[in-house]
Amino acid sequence: MKPNSIQRIQVIDSHTAGEPTRTIVGGAFEPGGETMAEKRAAFAGEYDWLRSATVCEPRGHDAMVGALLCEPYSPDCVSGVIFFNNVGVLNGCLHGTMGVAVTLLHQGRIGPGKHRLDTPSGLVTFDVSASGTVEVTNVRSYRHQHDVPVEVPGVGVVKGDIAWGGNWFFLADAPPEIPVSLSCLDELTDYSWRLRNALEEAGITGANGGEIDHIELFAPPADPQLADSKNFVLCPGKAYDRSPCGTGTSAKLACLSEGGLLNEGQIWRQAGILDSVFEGRVKKHTDGGAIPTVTGSAFVTAEAILIIDPTTPFAFGITSSNTEL
Ligand code: PYC
């Protein structure tokens, strides 16, 4: 339920390879439930106002990812975390994990070194350095289906892989006529959004009906000396990831590994749309798939108190429920 008194929310902002994370570090918001999946569901039900107030305009923007620190379910974790964006909650988020890591370091809650974080998609380990380099060992990632055809209205048949990297991804080559470049953001967004809608219309999902809410398109890197591939990732709320997307890089690593194109321990350098790079490698998992390790750098950009006065316009953010958008 929305609060009817003024709320002061303490946040620390960071960016990881260009992609922002706003971490709620104060305000005593503890979603109910025991496991992280239960806490995520409780957050979605009880605290949707907190989500939209912190990451949507006028305080945030569409690309902003939020992170709520909470009690972990696993006692050996430094914190639990629930990630969210402009339209809802996320399963996992690796650029956000890197942002949380430098935030906790900035606060003095942890020192440089290895720590564990409890997330709704599972336990992740991060190793953070004083300079902001963060190596994250992700949850088991795997390719669910290979070379899946989907008929996309206005485009034709597009083939791609469906893979889990902490979120569900459809991974495909970018069409040759649309360069993976900042100058083509509108075209890339339109193409990816059509693809996502076509997957939904066709009832194509991840395992157990998991919604494929991230689209990842690939092209050769701008500079092969610096990266092996360049991607464009469209997130669930139609914002593009400014970073190479950590869960998307994990999904890519799982596909490469399952296709015999990446050996254990071999480094894959994934550039994003800004040509910032995540480095990844995998360790095969006994249950199939792989455990990816993804490394990037994150930087604290602001400390702030957000003031939410329920008597003011758009106090809980500009959303489709309070506009004609
Ligand atoms: O880095 O995993 C990621 C991510 C997910 C959505 C935006 N970034």
Side-chain angles (χ1 to χ4, degrees):
M1 217 180 35
K2 284 180 185 156
N4 50 23
S5 60
I6 293 181
Q7 305 291 308
R8 289 169 190 276
I9 319 278
Q10 193 189 350
V11 298
I12 296 183
D13 288 356
S14 58
H15 83 82
T16 308
E19 177 76 351
T21 305
R22 173 163 286 170
T23 305
I24 300 176
V25 294
F29 303 107
E30 190 60 44
E34 235 183 291
T35 65
M36 291 306 300
E38 287 167 5
K39 284 174 192 274
R40 186 182 87 127
F43 176 82
E46 296 163 31
Y47 288 119
D48 201 53
W49 64 268
L50 181 60
R51 177 194 65 75
S52 55
T54 49
V55 297
C56 294
E57 294 179 26
R59 296 181 196 82
H61 52 82
D62 280 356
M64 181 77 87
V65 168
L68 176 73
L69 299 181
C70 60
E71 284 298 318
Y73 176 61
S74 296
D76 59 343
C77 289
V78 63
S79 180
V81 63
I82 294 163
F83 292 110
F84 50 93
N85 67 8
N86 55 336
V87 291
V89 286
L90 289 162
N91 287 301
C93 183
L94 290 206
H95 95 268
T97 299
M98 296 177 199
V100 166
V102 297
T103 293
L104 294 172
L105 190 67
H106 176 79
Q107 285 188 299
R109 283 181 61 178
I110 59 169
K114 270 196 183 171
H115 305 274
R116 270 148 76 91
L117 204 57
D118 213 351
T119 82
S121 60
L123 292 179
V124 298
T125 305
F126 66 79
D127 192 346
V128 59
S129 78
S131 64
T133 304
V134 192
E135 181 183 270
V136 185
T137 303
N138 196 7
V139 298
R140 183 174 80 92
S141 301
Y142 59 97
R143 182 162 71 184
H144 173 60
Q145 276 183 285
H146 179 46
D147 238 2
V148 178
V150 53
E151 175 71 43
V152 183
V155 171
V157 175
V158 176
K159 280 189 178 175
D161 288 356
I162 298 170
W164 172 257
N167 289 301
W168 281 111
F169 287 82
F170 190 83
L171 303 94
D173 287 339
E177 68 278 12
I178 310 182
V180 174
S181 145
L182 273 179
S183 60
C184 295
L185 282 178
D186 288 349
E187 294 93 327
L188 289 163
T189 301
D190 178 63
Y191 183 92
S192 304
W193 197 247
R194 282 170 191 257
L195 183 47
R196 182 182 165 185
N197 287 336
L199 289 163
E200 196 176 325
E201 291 265 303
I204 298 171
T205 67
N208 305 315
E211 183 185 5
I212 302 170
D213 55 5
H214 290 75
I215 302 294
E216 186 166 7
L217 304 177
F218 294 92
D223 183 350
Q225 306 274 29
L226 301 178
D228 298 302
S229 160
K230 178 166 177 168
N231 70 13
F232 170 84
V233 176
L234 195 66
C235 297
K238 216 176 176 181
Y240 69 93
D241 197 328
R242 277 64 175 161
S243 83
C245 190
T247 50
T249 298
S250 299
K252 175 70 175 175
L253 293 169
C255 291
L256 289 168
S257 169
E258 270 169 72
L261 299 168
L262 189 74
N263 298 323
E264 272 196 329
Q266 190 183 339
I267 299 292
W268 178 262
R269 298 161 307 162
Q270 184 62 59
I273 189 77
L274 302 181
D275 291 315
S276 51
V277 175
F278 284 166
E279 272 196 11
R281 62 179 192 276
V282 294
K283 199 167 183 281
K284 296 240 186 217
H285 195 281
T286 43
D287 295 342
I291 300 288
T293 296
V294 179
T295 303
S297 292
F299 308 93
V300 168
T301 53
E303 291 180 341
I305 308 280
L306 306 182
I307 298 169
I308 303 177
D309 178 349
T311 64
T312 60
F314 303 115
F316 299 106
I318 300 173
T319 66
S320 53
S321 66
N322 60 24
T323 64
E324 295 299 312
L325 293 175

